[in-house]
Amino acid sequence: MAKQKIVVVGNGMVGHHFISQLSNAASDDYEIITFCEESRLAYDRVMLTSYFTGNSAADLALTTPQQYAEMGVKYFLNQQVTAIDRTAKTVLSSAGETISYDKLVLATGSFPFVPPVPGKDQPHIHVYRTLDDLDAIAESAKVSKVGVVIGGGLLGLEAANAIKQLGLKTHVVEFAPRLMAVQLDQGGGELLKQKIAQLGVEVHTEKNTKEIVAGETCRYRMNFADGSFLETDTIVFSAGIRPRDSLARDADLQLGERGGISINNQCLTSDENIYSIGECALWDNKIFGLVAPGYAMAKAAVSHITGGEKEFAGADMSTKLKLLGIEVASIGDAHANTANSQTYSFIDSATGIYKKIVMDETGKILLGAVLVGDSSDYGQWLQLALNKIELTHPPEYLLLPEADGAMSGGSAGIDALPDTAQICSCLDVTKAELNEAVAGGATDIAALKACTGAGTGCGGCMPLVTQVMNAQLSKLGVSIDSSLCRHFKHSRTELFDIIRVKQIRSFNQLLDDCGNGDGCEICKPAVGSMLASLWNEHVLAEELIGLQDTNDNFLGNMQKNGTYSIVPRIPAGEITPDHLILIGQVAKEYNLYTKITGGQRIDLFGAQIHQLPHIWQRFVDAGLETGHAYGKSLRTVKSCVGNTWCRYGVQDSTSMAIFIENRYKGIRSPHKVKMAVSGCARECAEAQSKDFGIIATENGWNLYVCGNGGMRPRHADLFASDIDDATLIRYIDIIFMFYVRTADRLQRTSVWMEGLEGGLDYLKEVVLNDKLGINDELLLQVDHLIDTYQCEWKTTLENPGKLQRFSHYINSDKTDDNIIFSTVRKQISPSEKALELATEL
Amino acid sequence: MTTSAQWIDICKILDIPKNTGVCAHLQGEQVAVFHIHSRSNGAESQVKAVSNFDPFAKANVLSRGLITELDEKYSIASPLLKQQFCLDTGKCQQDDSVSIPIYESRINNGFVQLKEVS
Ligand code: SRM
Ligand SMILES: Cc1cc2nc3c(=O)[nH]c(=O)nc-3n(C[C@H](O)[C@H](O)[C@H](O)COP(=O)(O)OP(=O)(O)OC[C@H]3O[C@@H](n4cnc5c(N)ncnc54)[C@H](O)[C@@H]3O)c2cc1C
Ligand code: SF4
Ligand code: FES
């Protein structure tokens, strides 16, 4: 059978979702072609603003040309579809391409509405919808001091955030009497306004822009209908969106009275071969300006094409967002439009929290809610509302859950949710689907995400997804097995607490307390690391030596032929010529292969075990210390030259990097830890790929956390901006120790962060608000570790008893005759001959 | 069977830190000798000896591996690619077809001894 030809107009979020769903369902039966008017394939528009705070276009990309090639999807970039011929079943593109279709899918999204204000078509006046728009805004920002966003809705506030990030004095101008008029009530809007004002963004409500004319102090002046005015250099319109339905209109498809392409439950338009999905589609006279309903439409359309029965049945428009760092959420009937509904509200003006709930007339069913300043109740409340769960307590308990202890809102927790409850609204995953996946073997979060898709959209559902998973696991009788290994039934975190609280100093003591047997390759190094993180004794101390993994065991990295590499610490990569010469001399004397590492220091390879003490003696005598290249501990703090030398530098990044490297050197952690400090936003030290990344700003430092290079790169998260030296160090102290205390064995900070329930926000709670009340203790722990730092090689050299191990044979001075080197590019190389010889043995 | 095989002194048991290994030179061969000091086994020292040669990595490194225990059986994990070899049989746990030579060993009067290979 010939493949059906599916043409998708618009490669936005929903168009792309449709393509990947269809391709997953039945890629062999369909030929998929898509037209993309933008210059790149689909990207995450929801995260658009993060483009200004560190995410690149590549980070935001939802797919790549390679992926489309693998899926067999043909695409035309920079091409608009300009006409549909419904009788010939073809589309025509702006580049003159004519393509025939069996089924056509219109996923053209919407365009930003710009009211017909005189003067709107001038340079430096923008809209906020695409990456190209953001590039243009950033260009304008370079030559502007003041920026205005017209429109105080959800997108307008995002745009305001972006402009503020770009360093402009920011204003928001809103026609309505309050912000976010669609989602919030007067109380919520008022509080939001106050909070935004505290951030230095000026909000002007009830302003109707009449015209934009040349300004006096700035590029433009906006004149308002009430006679007032505002001067600004650049303007972003965010006054609502309109469905892009002109293509459909020209093709005589049925539209709504106020625009939008009419569709039925299968997402079919008035033409049985044309579907429409996403923001351009009109269902039951409603346009859905969010991505989740668009995804649900895509699902329905795919289902219909492939002979399934899934229909689009409307979507909940509840939203949870973070605007300018302020949490805002709105659920269901937020405006109490339901007859006889009752509202309850709670205002804490001290901390800036506003909560309102709308209950039905019995006071037992939650109909809607508004949250400003703290949206942690969102997930729970949304489920209560969507599933019409009867409260067991009076409604005020919802607002004041503390009064109610663990009962959080008087519902019986996750078990009260029916199987049909939609847990992830972005990807439309129900509790039943999650439970099924868990029963089918997806027993951890990563597997569950991969198999159901839940949590891969906005991520807001993760706490609930985790709860559902754990509940199901325990129902299945799977005790969530977090035993470290066969010798300990506890998890690493639990063992850490046991060791800390009971002041356990040795492996045997711990085995006596809570283990069995004699230990293995998993628990020995893990416990060795924890003992070091807490008590910081020398790793080769008698009780500890048997716990150390290969490299720690001889304080060097073992290479493939049994020789070792030697890496002196070169803090921040700064080195004196004398040290450089010494390293060269020693390398030459011992004939070591010499290489500059990827971590801004020098690695000497091919040292035999008996040579290690002699070589290190030379370095220690000259004041060089071990670089812990072998340890699960701080590796390097990469630096740039910063404002000492570089014309762009705004802080002394080198000094800061040296300070940091010296502060945290030697501290044992669950896995290795890398840091970097850049002197300005150009980021020459690549800080955003490190566990801790620090970037200088005009006012101080931006701290990024939990980045990773390596096998699965992760862009670090911005933790705090414009902080001073002391705050910076304090934050790193706490986060580092919190990681040491709670991560799993061999877990980098990136993976730790991804598994941390509540993620970055939770970490902020812990660090900034001392949510767990442990910060003082963590700070004491760092102090202790810094106070007890020793160069492990120096101590070893001072202790002849320890040196006895550094020989190849215990009963002979001979060396290993299997170590043979050849010469490659004038340096030694582990010889192939060695291998041959070895095989003969 | 030769009856002439002698026990040869290698080092004092105290020269091998508890639960670590050393490499002994025995008639031109490299032998990895381990000092096992089990907590559960009445805290008594015992020694076990296998070849020092790691057949996977093709390097003389096993004496520098990590001792692991399961059901009171001890193995050595290679420091290079982490395969484990049973200290009693020499069998590799990851690959049945591979095993390494084992050596007779004992503690005698505070000395670690290996049996001569004939
Ligand atoms: C020497 C060096 C390569 C070089 O020639 O430049 C190197 C060499 C090794 N790396 Fe690396 N890595 C080196 C920089 C890096 C970097 C770049 C950096 O640090 O800026 C990365 C990516 C950044 C990161 O880690 O996020 C890197 C990511 C890894 C990984 C993957 C880690 C991950 O989370 O995905 C491993 C494997 C592991 O740790 O499990 C690894 C492991 C190793 C080991 C330890 C493999 C091993 O077990 O034998 C290598 C032995 C080093 C030795 O014998 O001294 N190396 N490695 C670099 C030493 C830097 C230093 O001065 O200490
Ligand atoms: C800054 C911002 C923040 C947002 N935040 C959220 C949020 O937090 N939560 C949420 O749910 N939603 C949010 N949204 C809305 C969300 O991005 C949209 O709902 C979603 O992108 C809609 O997907 P779509 O595919 O229908 O439209 P789009 O993603 O707009 O895709 C349509 C694509 O079709 C192209 N196109 C149009 N006509 C043609 C043609 N004739 N030929 C070829 N190509 C064409 C367009 O150029 C565009 O690339 C946000 C939007 C923005 C701009
Ligand atoms: S990050 Fe900035 S200060 Fe540092 S070297 Fe690069 S451009 Fe210069
Ligand atoms: S609700 Fe957004 S990812 Fe699940």
Side-chain angles (χ1 to χ4, degrees):
Chain A
M1 201 181 86
K3 285 188 178 191
Q4 271 215 55
K5 216 163 158 186
I6 312 283
V7 173
V8 183
V9 184
N11 192 241
M13 296 189 75
V14 174
H16 166 69
H17 194 75
F18 170 87
I19 290 172
S20 64
Q21 295 268 318
L22 181 62
S23 163
N24 273 346
S27 62
D28 292 343
D29 303 341
Y30 302 98
E31 180 186 353
I32 306 175
I33 300 162
T34 183
F35 283 90
C36 182
E37 169 198 70
E38 293 186 57
S39 56
R40 32 176 91 75
L41 290 176
Y43 53 88
D44 193 345
R45 206 178 299 288
V46 170
M47 297 292 290
L48 195 66
T49 306
S50 70
Y51 187 57
F52 284 145
T53 53
N55 274 338
S56 66
D59 291 331
L60 295 179
L62 295 174
T63 183
T64 60
Q66 293 87 310
Q67 270 170 28
Y68 267 14
E70 273 162 29
M71 291 159 63
V73 176
K74 253 193 242 149
Y75 59 88
F76 298 94
L77 285 183
N78 293 311
Q79 276 191 46
Q80 199 183 13
V81 169
T82 50
I84 306 170
D85 184 337
R86 286 169 55 191
T87 27
K89 293 184 45 178
T90 57
V91 293
L92 176 70
S93 86
S94 52
E97 200 86 47
T98 304
I99 300 275
S100 66
Y101 65 84
D102 292 313
K103 301 283 174 195
L104 184 67
V105 179
L106 301 176
T108 48
S110 45
F111 65 87
F113 169 65
V114 178
V117 178
K120 69 180 169 58
D121 296 312
Q122 302 183 66
H124 304 291
I125 298 184
H126 307 280
V127 292
Y128 197 76
R129 178 90 195 165
T130 66
L131 280 171
D132 291 340
D133 292 336
L134 265 63
D135 282 333
I137 292 171
E139 278 307 309
S140 285
K142 284 187 191 155
V143 290
S144 302
K145 287 204 165 61
V146 183
V148 167
V149 174
I150 301 185
L154 193 155
L155 289 184
L157 295 179
E158 281 231 18
N161 190 19
I163 290 186
K164 185 168 171 282
Q165 297 281 347
L166 290 169
L168 305 193
K169 166 74 196 146
T170 308
H171 298 266
V172 174
V173 171
E174 167 60 50
F175 178 69
R178 64 169 180 273
L179 294 173
M180 286 186 66
V182 182
Q183 293 87 359
L184 297 185
D185 59 351
Q186 188 64 32
E190 204 44 53
L191 189 84
L192 183 63
K193 180 175 171 180
Q194 280 169 24
K195 295 196 79 146
I196 288 177
Q198 279 164 13
L199 296 169
V201 174
E202 262 178 69
V203 180
H204 312 261
T205 45
E206 292 181 90
K207 294 285 176 202
N208 182 5
T209 311
K210 219 176 60 195
E211 57 179 4
I212 301 167
V213 297
E216 279 172 21
T217 56
C218 292
R219 190 174 293 124
Y220 300 121
R221 169 177 293 195
M222 301 166 58
N223 285 324
F224 301 123
D226 64 4
S228 61
F229 67 87
L230 185 61
E231 295 245 326
T232 181
D233 297 309
T234 178
I235 297 172
V236 177
F237 273 101
S238 179
I241 53 170
R242 297 289 182 270
R244 291 189 64 171
D245 53 14
S246 59
L247 202 54
R249 182 185 310 267
D250 295 344
D252 282 331
L253 293 175
Q254 191 190 324
L255 303 185
E257 261 173 42
R258 287 158 62 215
I261 308 169
S262 302
I263 57 168
N264 63 13
N265 293 1
Q266 282 74 38
C267 298
L268 270 177
T269 64
S270 53
D271 181 323
E272 59 175 0
N273 292 313
I274 305 183
Y275 296 82
S276 179
I277 54 180
E279 284 190 346
C280 57
L282 182 80
W283 180 88
D284 191 24
N285 257 317
K286 283 185 275 217
I287 291 280
F288 297 86
L290 294 171
V291 71
Y295 282 0
M297 289 179 195
K299 231 178 184 176
V302 166
S303 171
H304 190 245
I305 290 175
T306 56
E309 284 175 352
K310 184 135 189 127
E311 296 191 352
F312 180 71
D316 181 64
M317 293 295 280
S318 302
T319 33
K320 173 182 158 189
L321 316 145
K322 204 158 195 183
L323 296 166
L324 295 134
I326 302 164
E327 292 179 4
V328 180
S330 135
I331 295 173
D333 183 11
H335 295 298
N337 291 332
T338 310
N340 298 329
S341 55
Q342 319 164 5
T343 57
Y344 300 73
S345 58
F346 167 82
I347 302 177
D348 176 350
S349 45
T351 47
I353 294 174
Y354 176 84
K355 299 182 181 187
K356 179 177 95 172
I357 50 176
V358 179
M359 305 296 300
D360 75 342
E361 55 186 331
T362 67
K364 287 198 180 319
I365 309 276
L366 182 69
L367 300 175
V370 176
L371 293 161
V372 177
D374 172 11
S375 61
S376 51
D377 293 321
Y378 177 78
Q380 207 78 26
W381 289 10
L382 179 62
Q383 293 299 335
L384 291 178
L386 287 178
N387 300 297
K388 306 200 166 48
I389 295 173
E390 268 199 33
L391 298 190
T392 50
H393 292 46
E396 54 270 30
Y397 279 81
L398 276 183
L399 293 172
L400 297 164
E402 283 77 53
D404 184 28
M407 287 295 286
S408 187
S411 72
I414 206 79
D415 282 340
L417 296 181
D419 279 350
T420 48
Q422 189 192 46
I423 303 293
C424 172
S425 53
C426 290
L427 279 297
D428 182 19
V429 185
T430 60
K431 182 177 166 194
E433 285 166 316
L434 288 172
N435 282 342
E436 214 169 282
V438 173
T443 53
D444 60 49
I445 283 296
L448 198 55
K449 270 177 142 176
C451 136
T452 62
T456 55
C458 70
C461 59
M462 279 324 290
L464 275 178
V465 172
T466 313
Q467 281 181 37
V468 171
M469 181 185 80
N470 288 341
Q472 175 70 353
L473 280 175
S474 64
K475 224 174 265 160
L476 293 172
V478 186
S479 55
I480 307 159
D481 186 15
S482 52
S483 326
L484 184 65
C485 68
R486 300 173 306 236
H487 299 97
F488 291 98
K489 283 200 284 296
H490 298 92
S491 67
R492 182 191 179 276
T493 316
E494 289 162 348
L495 286 174
F496 195 95
D497 285 338
I498 293 172
I499 298 174
R500 179 174 60 86
V501 175
K502 300 196 174 167
Q503 304 263 321
I504 287 174
R505 295 274 173 169
S506 75
F507 186 60
N508 279 348
Q509 230 179 313
L510 187 66
L511 279 173
D512 287 341
D513 189 84
C514 62
N516 61 77
D518 284 327
C520 62
E521 76 286 357
I522 296 170
C523 56
K524 282 183 174 182
V527 173
S529 159
M530 288 187 271
L531 291 170
S533 295
L534 278 164
W535 319 126
N536 214 13
E537 281 176 62
H538 195 271
V539 286
L540 299 186
E542 201 187 330
E543 289 271 28
L544 303 177
I545 198 167
L547 308 179
Q548 308 305 346
D549 215 340
T550 315
N551 293 340
D552 277 312
N553 209 329
F554 287 91
L555 307 177
N557 295 52
M558 185 184 277
Q559 305 300 317
K560 55 197 276 187
N561 60 356
T563 62
Y564 288 88
S565 74
I566 292 190
V567 186
R569 187 167 295 289
I570 300 180
E574 183 184 273
I575 185 162
T576 61
D578 281 339
H579 277 157
L580 206 48
I581 289 167
L582 175 73
I583 291 175
Q585 272 170 348
V586 171
K588 200 165 174 183
E589 234 167 87
Y590 287 86
N591 194 19
L592 303 174
Y593 170 77
T594 307
K595 182 178 183 296
I596 310 284
T597 72
Q600 287 190 338
R601 50 190 186 171
I602 301 170
D603 205 341
L604 308 176
F605 292 82
Q608 297 185 42
I609 186 166
H610 63 278
Q611 297 176 319
L612 294 177
H614 304 280
I615 295 171
W616 274 107
Q617 190 72 58
R618 297 282 294 281
F619 289 146
V620 167
D621 286 346
L624 285 167
E625 297 187 316
T626 178
H628 290 99
Y630 46 80
K632 301 287 180 246
S633 54
L634 177 72
R635 289 288 165 86
T636 56
V637 181
K638 189 168 178 170
S639 79
C640 73
V641 288
N643 69 0
T644 320
W645 291 94
C646 175
R647 63 195 156 132
Y648 294 117
V650 292
Q651 304 284 349
D652 185 355
S653 47
T654 319
S655 297
M656 180 53 88
I658 292 173
F659 177 80
I660 287 181
E661 183 152 349
N662 283 323
R663 184 172 178 83
Y664 302 113
K665 64 188 175 189
I667 295 182
R668 289 295 197 284
S669 43
H671 206 307
K672 58 189 170 194
V673 170
K674 300 181 176 187
M675 310 192 186
V677 187
S678 282
C680 81
R682 283 163 198 77
E683 249 282 70
C684 297
E686 301 172 312
Q688 290 164 98
S689 67
K690 301 297 185 215
D691 298 274
F692 292 87
I694 297 140
I695 303 177
T697 68
E698 295 279 352
N699 308 316
W701 309 97
N702 284 353
L703 172 61
Y704 287 81
V705 297
C706 304
N708 207 154
M711 320 179 230
R712 204 172 56 90
R714 178 177 194 274
H715 195 288
D717 297 312
L718 179 62
F719 184 83
S721 315
D722 289 331
I723 49 181
D724 61 19
D725 293 5
T727 310
L728 173 71
I729 299 300
R730 185 186 150 86
Y731 288 175
I732 302 177
D733 280 357
I734 297 174
I735 300 170
F736 193 177
M737 287 304 108
F738 189 52
Y739 161 66
V740 164
R741 189 175 280 201
T742 59
D744 209 348
R745 60 180 273 276
L746 300 184
Q747 189 176 47
R748 288 288 291 269
T749 57
S750 56
V751 184
W752 170 69
M753 169 63 100
E754 275 157 21
L756 201 62
E757 216 174 288
L760 182 65
D761 289 336
Y762 175 70
L763 187 63
K764 284 188 183 167
E765 283 283 307
V766 170
V767 180
L768 307 179
N769 302 336
D770 200 6
K771 185 185 177 110
L772 304 177
I774 56 172
N775 289 0
D776 288 341
E777 201 183 318
L778 295 177
L779 289 167
L780 280 175
Q781 190 185 340
V782 185
D783 283 345
H784 170 70
L785 293 173
I786 293 169
D787 289 346
T788 50
Y789 167 80
Q790 50 189 322
C791 167
E792 284 157 356
W793 263 112
K794 186 160 185 275
T795 312
T796 306
L797 292 168
E798 284 161 358
N799 188 334
K802 288 204 166 95
L803 289 177
Q804 205 183 352
R805 299 173 64 239
F806 289 87
S807 67
H808 190 73
Y809 293 108
I810 184 95
N811 56 345
S812 159
D813 289 339
K814 292 198 176 73
T815 57
D816 186 3
D817 51 13
N818 188 36
I819 295 176
I820 297 172
F821 296 112
S822 58
T823 304
V824 176
R825 292 183 297 277
K826 300 191 184 151
Q827 295 207 68
I828 58 160
S829 161
S831 164
E832 285 306 313
K833 256 209 195 133
L835 293 190
E836 281 163 32
L837 214 128
T839 345
E840 280 165 23
L841 265 174
Chain B
M1 275 302 269
T2 48
T3 46
S4 57
Q6 298 281 324
W7 284 104
I8 295 179
D9 283 348
I10 300 297
C11 60
K12 283 188 266 177
I13 184 68
L14 293 178
D15 291 339
I16 315 179
K18 284 175 196 164
N19 299 315
T20 70
V22 296
C23 172
H25 189 264
L26 180 72
Q27 298 166 285
E29 292 182 18
Q30 298 198 18
V31 183
V33 185
F34 300 95
H35 177 178
I36 291 169
H37 189 88
S38 161
R39 182 187 62 105
S40 33
N41 192 13
E44 225 174 83
S45 289
Q46 48 175 324
V47 286
K48 290 183 187 288
V50 297
S51 163
N52 193 34
F53 185 68
D54 174 346
F56 292 97
K58 307 210 183 310
N60 289 309
V61 294
L62 291 185
S63 62
R64 290 175 258 161
L66 202 82
I67 301 169
T68 85
E69 175 266 355
L70 176 62
D71 300 334
E72 294 178 32
K73 295 257 177 266
Y74 296 90
S75 307
I76 183 68
S78 166
L80 281 170
L81 300 174
K82 313 290 173 185
Q83 289 90 353
Q84 296 184 17
F85 303 92
C86 173
L87 288 180
D88 293 319
T89 64
K91 269 223 168 64
C92 171
Q93 258 136 51
Q94 284 71 31
D95 183 346
D96 273 353
S97 67
V98 179
S99 67
I100 56 172
I102 51 173
Y103 294 80
E104 279 188 69
S105 61
R106 68 177 186 191
I107 306 175
N108 189 8
N109 267 330
F111 272 86
V112 176
Q113 298 184 321
L114 289 178
K115 191 82 156 276
E116 223 179 42
V117 277
S118 47

